[in-house]
Structure formats: structure tokens, C-alpha cells
Amino acid sequence: PAKNFQPSSGLLTEVRFPPGVRAETAVTTGSEVPPYYDPMVAKLIAHGATRGEARRRLLHGLQDTQALGIRTNQHFLQRCLAHPAFVHGEATTAFVGEHLDALLACDDDSRDVALAAVALLAAGRGMPSPLTHGLASPLRFALDGQVHSAQATAHRGARWSVRAGEQTWHLGLLASADDHLRIAWEGDGNTPARHETLDFCREPGSDALLLHARGRARRVEDLSRHSAMPAGAAA
């Protein structure tokens, strides 16, 4: 969607459709999406006793669907379903054109930056030992091509604090495995505590991680060991 709805081709590294919606598709994990045919890879269908119930089921189904390895319009469709005009049944065939700026507006991805930092440590560098608790790990990484710097500090009790820019996030690691993390965000005066699952896998042929977090697919590449100099100076 961000590139004028150009099709995306490549290897689907991970595909999972959740219960509660009907998925019509011919792709599975490991499928190659070629550039020669119709770009639709799946169709999700939801129903309910009311339009509102069907909309909510479809929204949750889109949030829980994992399609890692190529770009999809999954997040864009979530924004369509959550837009007030769609919620109130006011969408027409001109809906996308009339609301395109709002549907393509950039999200606040600060939470995703914090999740990416912890995922890099958990999957790429290994979790810290008790001897390193309290010591900040500097990180530099690209999240969907945008470079971020962060400081991630491990604390006792599998708790983390991640500072990125002017924000600091506090979270607890409830469970970890080779392909997912279960996170508890610690609340503050304005934000209640909540749990979240971060699923990830390695991108074939690279050191990058493919993440499914907060209903969208992200790509994170560790740049901490790369030169921060411009290309000309590095050369």
C-alpha cells in the first residue's frame, strides 16, 4: 500500500491463519509467490450475527494472521476495518480514495522498536546472563528500512527496559522459544499493563529477523556490528 499498491513477490517464510475466520488460499509456509500472476495470496472471510460482529471477527483474524517474507496489505485492511466511516456502514466504492491519507498514515512504531530490540537480543545474540543484569546493551538496527538506536537493559526477574529516543519501555519476558516471545508491558499512569506475543523467524539467506507483532509483519536487521559511516567514507 505504501508503494501505490504494487504487488510483492518472494518466499513466504511463515504462513499461519488463525481460527475464527475462513482462509481461502493456495499458499503455505515455504511457498514461492512469483511475479507473473494475480498478486492475491489469500482471502479471509468472517461472518457473524450482525455486521459489527463480522467486522470485529475479520479485524481480529487479520491481526492474528502471519504472512512473513513478502509485503501484504494486511495492516492496511485492518485500518480500513477500524476507520469510523467503515465502522458506521458509510463506506462506498470511493472509500479508499476519499480516506487514503488516513489509511496510509504512519503509525507510532515506538513499541515495535522496543519489541525489535528484545527480539534481536533473544534470537540473535542470546539472552544475557545474570552477571550482565543492569548493564545496557547498545543496539543499532533497521526496522523496515528505518534505522533506530536503542539501549536494552536486562533486570532480574526476566524484566527489561528499552530506551529509544526520548521513550523508555518497561516489559517482562513471560516465555521465550525459538520462534516467539511472550511479553508483558508494564503499565504507567496512562497505559495499563497488557500481554502480547511476538512471533519471529529468520529471513532465508540473511541475518535479518521477520517479526509478527501487533497485527503486522516487520523486518528487523541488526546493524550494531556494521559501520555507521556513510557509504563513501566506509569505502
Side-chain angles (χ1 to χ4, degrees), residues 109-215:
D109 63 354
S110 57
R111 279 181 178 258
D112 284 4
V113 171
L115 284 173
V118 175
L120 283 175
L121 290 173
R125 302 185 184 183
M127 301 303 279
S129 72
L131 296 177
T132 62
H133 285 171
L135 299 178
S137 298
L139 294 167
R140 182 173 174 270
F141 54 89
L143 182 62
D144 289 343
Q146 184 173 354
V147 177
H148 298 272
S149 295
Q151 298 273 344
T153 304
H155 305 282
R156 296 186 184 280
R159 294 175 55 252
W160 289 83
S161 58
V162 179
R163 180 171 180 80
E166 299 299 319
Q167 288 188 292
T168 299
W169 298 98
H170 301 283
L171 48 95
L173 186 62
L174 301 179
S176 63
D178 292 338
D179 60 355
H180 73 271
L181 300 173
R182 182 71 174 157
I183 300 293
W185 295 96
E186 297 183 5
D188 53 31
N190 301 315
T191 306
R194 66 188 186 94
H195 294 176
E196 189 166 10
T197 298
L198 167 66
D199 297 286
F200 58 86
C201 63
R202 291 205 173 277
E203 183 180 64
S206 77
D207 293 330
L209 290 178
L210 303 177
L211 314 179
H212 180 262
R214 304 176 64 224

Side-chain angles (χ1 to χ4, degrees), residues 11-37:
L11 179 68
L12 279 164
T13 310
E14 187 74 36
V15 178
R16 296 181 190 174
F17 297 104
V21 293
R22 171 175 168 171
E24 295 185 352
T25 184
V27 300
T28 60
T29 295
S31 293
E32 185 80 24
V33 179
Y36 311 113
Y37 310 110

Side-chain angles (χ1 to χ4, degrees), residues 41 60 219:
V41 295
H60 293 154
R219 181 183 186 274

